Amino acid sequence: MIFRRLAYGFKEGLKNILRNKIFSLATVGTIMACIFLLGVTLSVLLNVRATVKQAEDSVTISVFFDEKLPKGQKDAIGKGIKNHKEVQSVRYVSAEEAWAKYKKEVFKNNEDLLEGFEGKNPLNESDSYEVMLKDVKYHEKMVGEFKSMDGVRKVEYAKGAAEGISKANLLGAYVAGAIILILLFVSVFLVSNTVSIGIAVRKEEIAIMRLIGATNRFIRAPFIVEGAVIGMIGSLIPVGVIYIGYKVIVNYIMDKFHVLTNFMEFVPVHQIMVYLIPASLLVGLGIGCLGSSFTIRKYLRV
Protein backbone atom coordinates (compact mmCIF):
# COMPACT_ATOMS: atom_id res chain seq x y z
CA MET A 1 0.00 0.00 0.00
CA ILE A 2 2.78 2.42 0.91
CA PHE A 3 4.66 1.68 -2.30
CA ARG A 4 1.48 2.16 -4.35
CA ARG A 5 0.94 5.56 -2.75
CA LEU A 6 4.54 6.54 -3.38
CA ALA A 7 4.27 5.39 -7.00
CA TYR A 8 1.03 7.35 -7.39
CA GLY A 9 2.56 10.50 -5.93
CA PHE A 10 5.60 10.23 -8.16
CA LYS A 11 3.53 9.52 -11.30
CA GLU A 12 1.10 12.35 -10.64
CA GLY A 13 3.94 14.72 -9.83
CA LEU A 14 5.53 14.07 -13.23
CA LYS A 15 2.13 14.44 -14.91
CA ASN A 16 1.64 17.79 -13.19
CA ILE A 17 4.94 19.01 -14.65
CA LEU A 18 3.95 17.95 -18.18
CA ARG A 19 0.39 19.27 -17.86
CA ASN A 20 1.57 22.68 -16.68
CA LYS A 21 4.62 23.26 -18.87
CA ILE A 22 4.50 27.05 -18.65
CA PHE A 23 4.35 27.13 -14.85
CA SER A 24 6.96 24.39 -14.61
CA LEU A 25 9.34 26.29 -16.89
CA ALA A 26 8.75 29.49 -14.92
CA THR A 27 9.58 27.70 -11.67
CA VAL A 28 12.66 26.05 -13.16
CA GLY A 29 13.81 29.43 -14.45
CA THR A 30 13.34 31.00 -11.03
CA ILE A 31 15.34 28.26 -9.30
CA MET A 32 18.02 28.41 -12.01
CA ALA A 33 18.48 32.14 -11.48
CA CYS A 34 18.75 31.73 -7.72
CA ILE A 35 21.13 28.76 -7.90
CA PHE A 36 23.24 30.59 -10.47
CA LEU A 37 23.60 33.59 -8.16
CA LEU A 38 24.37 31.23 -5.29
CA GLY A 39 27.03 29.47 -7.40
CA VAL A 40 28.64 32.74 -8.47
CA THR A 41 28.69 33.91 -4.84
CA LEU A 42 30.26 30.62 -3.73
CA SER A 43 32.88 30.76 -6.52
CA VAL A 44 33.86 34.32 -5.60
CA LEU A 45 33.95 33.45 -1.90
CA LEU A 46 36.21 30.42 -2.43
CA ASN A 47 38.61 32.46 -4.57
CA VAL A 48 38.69 35.27 -2.02
CA ARG A 49 39.41 32.71 0.70
CA ALA A 50 42.23 31.23 -1.39
CA THR A 51 43.73 34.69 -1.98
CA VAL A 52 43.47 35.53 1.73
CA LYS A 53 45.09 32.19 2.58
CA GLN A 54 47.92 33.02 0.20
CA ALA A 55 48.35 36.35 1.99
CA GLU A 56 48.27 34.55 5.36
CA ASP A 57 51.11 32.29 4.26
CA SER A 58 53.23 35.35 3.55
CA VAL A 59 52.75 36.75 7.07
CA THR A 60 55.40 35.07 9.19
CA ILE A 61 56.93 35.71 12.62
CA SER A 62 60.69 36.13 12.93
CA VAL A 63 62.22 35.11 16.29
CA PHE A 64 65.75 36.50 16.86
CA PHE A 65 68.19 35.21 19.48
CA ASP A 66 70.38 36.89 22.06
CA GLU A 67 73.90 37.60 20.78
CA LYS A 68 76.45 34.80 21.18
CA LEU A 69 73.69 32.35 22.13
CA PRO A 70 74.99 28.74 21.95
CA LYS A 71 73.59 26.47 19.24
CA GLY A 72 72.12 24.13 21.86
CA GLN A 73 69.92 26.89 23.27
CA LYS A 74 68.84 27.92 19.78
CA ASP A 75 67.78 24.33 19.11
CA ALA A 76 65.87 24.32 22.41
CA ILE A 77 64.05 27.50 21.40
CA GLY A 78 63.13 25.89 18.07
CA LYS A 79 61.72 22.82 19.83
CA GLY A 80 59.76 25.05 22.21
CA ILE A 81 58.21 26.92 19.27
CA LYS A 82 57.27 23.69 17.47
CA ASN A 83 55.51 22.40 20.59
CA HIS A 84 52.79 25.06 20.26
CA LYS A 85 49.70 23.62 18.55
CA GLU A 86 49.08 26.97 16.80
CA VAL A 87 52.37 26.65 14.86
CA GLN A 88 52.22 25.25 11.35
CA SER A 89 55.92 25.29 10.46
CA VAL A 90 59.28 26.51 11.76
CA ARG A 91 62.30 27.22 9.57
CA TYR A 92 65.79 28.22 10.67
CA VAL A 93 67.19 31.21 8.75
CA SER A 94 70.96 31.54 9.04
CA ALA A 95 72.76 34.88 9.14
CA GLU A 96 74.20 34.15 5.67
CA GLU A 97 70.75 33.51 4.21
CA ALA A 98 69.38 36.65 5.87
CA TRP A 99 72.19 38.77 4.39
CA ALA A 100 71.75 37.24 0.92
CA LYS A 101 68.01 37.97 1.01
CA TYR A 102 68.60 41.52 2.24
CA LYS A 103 71.08 42.22 -0.58
CA LYS A 104 68.66 40.88 -3.17
CA GLU A 105 65.74 42.98 -1.91
CA VAL A 106 67.51 46.25 -1.03
CA PHE A 107 70.42 46.46 -3.48
CA LYS A 108 68.71 45.07 -6.57
CA ASN A 109 70.15 46.81 -9.67
CA ASN A 110 72.49 48.76 -7.34
CA GLU A 111 75.14 46.12 -6.68
CA ASP A 112 77.92 48.72 -6.87
CA LEU A 113 76.76 50.02 -3.47
CA LEU A 114 77.91 46.74 -1.94
CA GLU A 115 81.58 47.55 -2.50
CA GLY A 116 83.43 47.13 0.77
CA PHE A 117 81.11 44.42 2.05
CA GLU A 118 82.97 41.60 0.32
CA GLY A 119 83.49 38.77 2.79
CA LYS A 120 81.58 40.65 5.49
CA ASN A 121 78.14 40.04 6.92
CA PRO A 122 76.57 43.02 8.73
CA LEU A 123 73.77 40.68 9.83
CA ASN A 124 76.14 38.26 11.54
CA GLU A 125 73.98 38.01 14.66
CA SER A 126 70.68 38.04 12.79
CA ASP A 127 69.97 34.34 12.41
CA SER A 128 66.41 33.54 13.39
CA TYR A 129 63.46 31.18 13.24
CA GLU A 130 60.81 31.94 10.62
CA VAL A 131 57.49 30.79 12.09
CA MET A 132 54.26 30.27 10.18
CA LEU A 133 51.02 29.89 12.15
CA LYS A 134 47.91 27.93 11.24
CA ASP A 135 45.78 31.07 11.48
CA VAL A 136 46.63 34.77 11.65
CA LYS A 137 44.27 35.21 14.62
CA TYR A 138 46.95 33.55 16.79
CA HIS A 139 49.65 36.12 15.96
CA GLU A 140 49.22 38.42 18.96
CA LYS A 141 49.07 35.51 21.37
CA MET A 142 52.10 33.69 19.93
CA VAL A 143 54.23 36.83 19.66
CA GLY A 144 53.76 37.30 23.41
CA GLU A 145 54.66 33.65 24.02
CA PHE A 146 57.83 33.84 21.92
CA LYS A 147 58.99 37.10 23.52
CA SER A 148 58.85 35.49 26.96
CA MET A 149 61.16 32.61 25.97
CA ASP A 150 64.69 32.60 27.41
CA GLY A 151 67.34 33.51 24.85
CA VAL A 152 64.97 35.47 22.58
CA ARG A 153 66.17 39.00 21.83
CA LYS A 154 63.21 40.24 19.79
CA VAL A 155 60.22 39.08 17.77
CA GLU A 156 59.14 40.77 14.54
CA TYR A 157 55.99 40.38 12.45
CA ALA A 158 53.73 42.44 10.22
CA LYS A 159 51.12 43.44 12.80
CA GLY A 160 49.03 45.52 10.41
CA ALA A 161 48.94 42.81 7.76
CA ALA A 162 47.94 40.12 10.27
CA GLU A 163 45.13 42.25 11.71
CA GLY A 164 43.93 43.22 8.22
CA ILE A 165 43.79 39.61 7.05
CA SER A 166 41.97 38.52 10.21
CA LYS A 167 39.35 41.25 9.76
CA ALA A 168 39.00 40.42 6.06
CA ASN A 169 38.33 36.79 6.96
CA LEU A 170 35.63 37.75 9.45
CA LEU A 171 34.02 40.30 7.13
CA GLY A 172 34.03 37.83 4.23
CA ALA A 173 32.27 35.20 6.35
CA TYR A 174 29.55 37.67 7.44
CA VAL A 175 28.98 39.03 3.92
CA ALA A 176 28.83 35.57 2.36
CA GLY A 177 26.44 34.31 5.03
CA ALA A 178 24.15 37.32 4.58
CA ILE A 179 24.09 36.98 0.78
CA ILE A 180 23.33 33.25 0.93
CA LEU A 181 20.51 33.76 3.46
CA ILE A 182 18.97 36.53 1.32
CA LEU A 183 19.17 34.36 -1.81
CA LEU A 184 17.55 31.43 -0.03
CA PHE A 185 14.70 33.61 1.28
CA VAL A 186 14.10 35.21 -2.12
CA SER A 187 14.25 31.79 -3.81
CA VAL A 188 11.61 30.23 -1.54
CA PHE A 189 9.39 33.32 -1.93
CA LEU A 190 9.62 33.37 -5.75
CA VAL A 191 9.13 29.63 -6.12
CA SER A 192 6.19 29.71 -3.72
CA ASN A 193 4.52 32.45 -5.78
CA THR A 194 5.22 30.67 -9.06
CA VAL A 195 3.95 27.32 -7.78
CA SER A 196 0.84 28.98 -6.31
CA ILE A 197 -0.19 30.09 -9.80
CA GLY A 198 -0.03 26.52 -11.05
CA ILE A 199 -1.84 25.14 -8.02
CA ALA A 200 -4.57 27.80 -8.22
CA VAL A 201 -5.55 26.40 -11.61
CA ARG A 202 -6.21 23.04 -9.94
CA LYS A 203 -7.81 24.27 -6.71
CA GLU A 204 -11.22 22.84 -7.65
CA GLU A 205 -9.66 19.44 -8.26
CA ILE A 206 -7.91 19.63 -4.88
CA ALA A 207 -11.13 20.68 -3.16
CA ILE A 208 -13.06 17.76 -4.67
CA MET A 209 -10.37 15.28 -3.62
CA ARG A 210 -10.47 16.72 -0.09
CA LEU A 211 -14.27 16.42 0.06
CA ILE A 212 -14.34 12.77 -1.02
CA GLY A 213 -11.99 11.84 1.79
CA ALA A 214 -8.44 12.06 0.43
CA THR A 215 -5.92 12.79 3.18
CA ASN A 216 -3.74 15.88 3.16
CA ARG A 217 -0.66 13.70 2.74
CA PHE A 218 -2.19 11.96 -0.31
CA ILE A 219 -3.06 15.28 -1.95
CA ARG A 220 0.23 16.91 -1.05
CA ALA A 221 2.51 14.12 -2.33
CA PRO A 222 2.30 14.85 -6.10
CA PHE A 223 3.02 18.53 -5.51
CA ILE A 224 6.03 17.73 -3.31
CA VAL A 225 7.34 15.38 -6.03
CA GLU A 226 6.71 18.08 -8.62
CA GLY A 227 8.64 20.62 -6.55
CA ALA A 228 11.51 18.19 -5.93
CA VAL A 229 11.91 17.28 -9.63
CA ILE A 230 11.70 20.92 -10.72
CA GLY A 231 14.18 21.88 -8.00
CA MET A 232 16.65 19.21 -9.12
CA ILE A 233 16.42 20.24 -12.77
CA GLY A 234 16.71 23.90 -11.85
CA SER A 235 19.82 23.24 -9.76
CA LEU A 236 21.78 21.07 -12.21
CA ILE A 237 21.58 23.37 -15.24
CA PRO A 238 23.27 26.41 -13.60
CA VAL A 239 25.98 24.12 -12.19
CA GLY A 240 26.88 23.14 -15.76
CA VAL A 241 26.82 26.78 -16.87
CA ILE A 242 29.09 27.83 -14.00
CA TYR A 243 31.48 24.92 -14.67
CA ILE A 244 32.00 25.94 -18.30
CA GLY A 245 31.87 29.70 -17.64
CA TYR A 246 34.35 29.54 -14.75
CA LYS A 247 36.94 27.66 -16.82
CA VAL A 248 36.57 30.10 -19.72
CA ILE A 249 36.83 33.20 -17.51
CA VAL A 250 39.81 31.95 -15.48
CA ASN A 251 41.69 30.87 -18.62
CA TYR A 252 41.01 34.27 -20.20
CA ILE A 253 42.24 36.16 -17.11
CA MET A 254 45.37 34.02 -16.82
CA ASP A 255 46.10 34.52 -20.51
CA LYS A 256 45.38 38.24 -20.80
CA PHE A 257 46.06 39.44 -17.25
CA HIS A 258 48.64 36.94 -16.02
CA VAL A 259 50.14 39.62 -13.75
CA LEU A 260 47.12 39.09 -11.44
CA THR A 261 48.36 35.58 -10.65
CA ASN A 262 51.23 37.16 -8.67
CA PHE A 263 48.86 38.15 -5.88
CA MET A 264 45.70 36.17 -6.64
CA GLU A 265 45.18 32.42 -6.51
CA PHE A 266 42.37 30.94 -8.58
CA VAL A 267 40.73 27.84 -7.14
CA PRO A 268 40.60 24.89 -9.59
CA VAL A 269 37.11 24.34 -10.96
CA HIS A 270 36.87 20.81 -9.56
CA GLN A 271 37.34 22.17 -6.02
CA ILE A 272 34.43 24.55 -6.56
CA MET A 273 32.28 21.70 -7.90
CA VAL A 274 32.98 19.65 -4.76
CA TYR A 275 31.06 22.30 -2.79
CA LEU A 276 28.70 23.59 -5.48
CA ILE A 277 27.11 20.33 -6.71
CA PRO A 278 25.86 19.04 -3.33
CA ALA A 279 24.96 22.56 -2.17
CA SER A 280 22.99 23.26 -5.38
CA LEU A 281 21.12 19.94 -5.22
CA LEU A 282 20.31 20.44 -1.55
CA VAL A 283 19.17 24.03 -2.06
CA GLY A 284 17.26 23.22 -5.26
CA LEU A 285 15.41 20.28 -3.72
CA GLY A 286 14.80 22.24 -0.54
CA ILE A 287 13.45 25.27 -2.38
CA GLY A 288 11.23 23.16 -4.64
CA CYS A 289 9.79 21.07 -1.79
CA LEU A 290 9.36 24.00 0.61
CA GLY A 291 7.82 26.21 -2.05
CA SER A 292 5.29 23.51 -2.96
CA SER A 293 4.60 22.61 0.66
CA PHE A 294 3.96 26.20 1.76
CA THR A 295 1.70 26.88 -1.20
CA ILE A 296 -0.41 23.71 -1.14
CA ARG A 297 -1.17 24.18 2.55
CA LYS A 298 -3.78 26.88 2.06
CA TYR A 299 -5.58 24.91 -0.66
CA LEU A 300 -6.05 21.92 1.64
CA ARG A 301 -8.76 23.82 3.49
CA VAL A 302 -12.24 23.58 2.01
Side-chain angles (χ1 to χ4, degrees), residues 10-45:
F10 188 78
K11 182 177 68 174
E12 289 299 312
L14 294 179
K15 283 183 179 179
N16 288 344
I17 295 174
L18 296 176
R19 277 199 300 256
N20 300 276
K21 296 183 180 69
I22 294 177
F23 299 119
S24 298
L25 288 174
T27 308
V28 168
T30 302
I31 294 177
M32 281 176 57
C34 295
I35 296 295
F36 180 78
L37 291 174
L38 180 64
V40 170
T41 302
L42 181 62
S43 300
V44 172
L45 174 62

Side-chain angles (χ1 to χ4, degrees), residues 3 33 116 188 295:
F3 291 108
V188 173
T295 307

Side-chain angles (χ1 to χ4, degrees), residues 35-43 46 235-236 238-243 246 269-283:
I35 296 295
F36 180 78
L37 291 174
L38 180 64
V40 170
T41 302
L42 181 62
S43 300
L46 289 175
S235 63
L236 290 177
V239 168
V241 173
I242 290 173
Y243 178 84
Y246 183 84
V269 68
H270 69 270
Q271 289 187 19
I272 291 178
M273 292 297 114
V274 167
Y275 295 98
L276 183 58
I277 291 176
S280 297
L281 286 173
L282 184 64
V283 172

Side-chain angles (χ1 to χ4, degrees), residues 91-110:
R91 190 176 74 88
Y92 176 73
V93 180
S94 66
E96 291 73 21
E97 182 182 346
W99 175 232
K101 182 180 179 181
Y102 185 83
K103 287 192 295 183
K104 185 177 179 180
E105 293 178 352
V106 177
F107 296 100
K108 186 178 181 180
N109 301 322
N110 293 289

Side-chain angles (χ1 to χ4, degrees), residues 248-261 266:
V248 171
I249 292 172
V250 170
N251 289 335
Y252 179 81
I253 292 175
M254 294 182 72
D255 181 48
K256 301 294 183 181
F257 307 98
H258 59 273
V259 67
L260 292 177
T261 59
F266 292 101

Side-chain angles (χ1 to χ4, degrees), residues 144-159:
E145 293 275 353
F146 299 155
K147 284 182 177 179
S148 65
M149 297 176 73
D150 291 335
V152 172
R153 171 164 49 96
K154 65 176 180 177
V155 177
E156 291 184 352
Y157 80 110
K159 182 177 180 180

